[in-house]
Amino acid sequence: MPRTIVMPPADEIDKAYREAIRIVPERYKRRIQLVRGWKERAIAGEKTYKEKMEKVLEEERRKRALEKVSEDEWKKAAVEKGARIIGRHMEYGADKRKKKYEPFRAVLDGLEIPDKGPDPVENARTIVPVVVEALVRKKKEILGITS
């Protein structure tokens, strides 16, 4: 015999959601400490991830979702949500950024580049490749790529 789904009213769901906002962050932190083996499981799921992403791309889900959002809606969300969290995220990532950037800063520090001349286009043709090649070599070295 078929069953009928009975959902709670929208205002009850909204009330429960808003009440959870006070509880979830602390619960999240506690539960994170209990996690073991996340990296191994993530790596093991690579094939599934790739299959799912290929399906998303094939169905143009991102494009369709983007088409539903107006410029004003996007800006409003970016201002209201993004501005609140960007500073915290930068603070949390400062040590990681410094560690990951340092090898590239070290490569650029003291890198010999051609002298600048009066022609900015010619400067770009002679200086930019030297800088880019040095950075690409360092990136390949970090990643263990030999080609």
Side-chain angles (χ1 to χ4, degrees):
M1 172 177 250
R3 295 184 300 160
T4 303
I5 296 174
V6 178
M7 293 292 293
D11 59 335
E12 283 184 30
I13 294 172
D14 184 59
K15 182 177 183 265
Y17 179 85
R18 291 175 188 277
E19 288 170 352
I21 292 171
R22 293 176 287 122
I23 300 165
V24 169
E26 202 53 46
R27 183 180 295 165
Y28 175 82
K29 286 190 268 186
R30 285 195 317 267
R31 300 267 169 89
I32 288 297
Q33 298 307 317
L34 300 174
V35 173
R36 302 287 182 269
W38 68 269
K39 187 184 343 182
E40 294 77 11
R41 288 193 308 273
I43 291 169
E46 188 70 14
K47 180 177 178 248
T48 302
Y49 174 80
K50 185 177 178 184
E51 289 169 358
K52 294 291 185 183
M53 290 308 298
E54 286 171 351
K55 187 167 180 64
V56 166
L57 292 170
E58 178 185 313
E59 295 174 355
E60 296 185 332
R61 289 186 206 166
R62 179 178 179 271
K63 178 184 168 195
R64 288 198 327 260
L66 289 170
E67 288 171 343
K68 294 177 184 176
V69 180
S70 73
E71 188 80 13
D72 288 340
E73 289 171 319
W74 176 83
K75 284 181 181 179
K76 183 177 188 283
V79 167
E80 291 176 359
K81 297 174 186 175
R84 277 198 316 259
I85 63 172
I86 195 166
R88 274 184 288 161
H89 285 224
M90 290 174 71
E91 184 179 333
Y92 293 147
D95 291 338
K96 182 177 179 181
R97 186 222 51 85
K98 182 179 178 184
K99 178 182 172 190
K100 289 191 172 270
Y101 174 70
E102 179 52 28
F104 299 102
R105 188 210 61 78
V107 164
L108 295 175
D109 188 29
L111 180 67
E112 291 187 19
I113 58 174
D115 288 335
K116 275 188 173 181
D119 182 355
V121 173
E122 187 57 30
N123 289 336
R125 285 189 185 120
T126 59
I127 297 170
V128 171
V130 175
V131 172
V132 171
E133 287 169 7
L135 293 172
V136 168
R137 273 194 308 276
K138 177 48 77 174
K139 181 71 172 188
K140 286 182 175 182
E141 176 189 319
I142 290 168
L143 295 174
I145 300 171
T146 56
S147 60

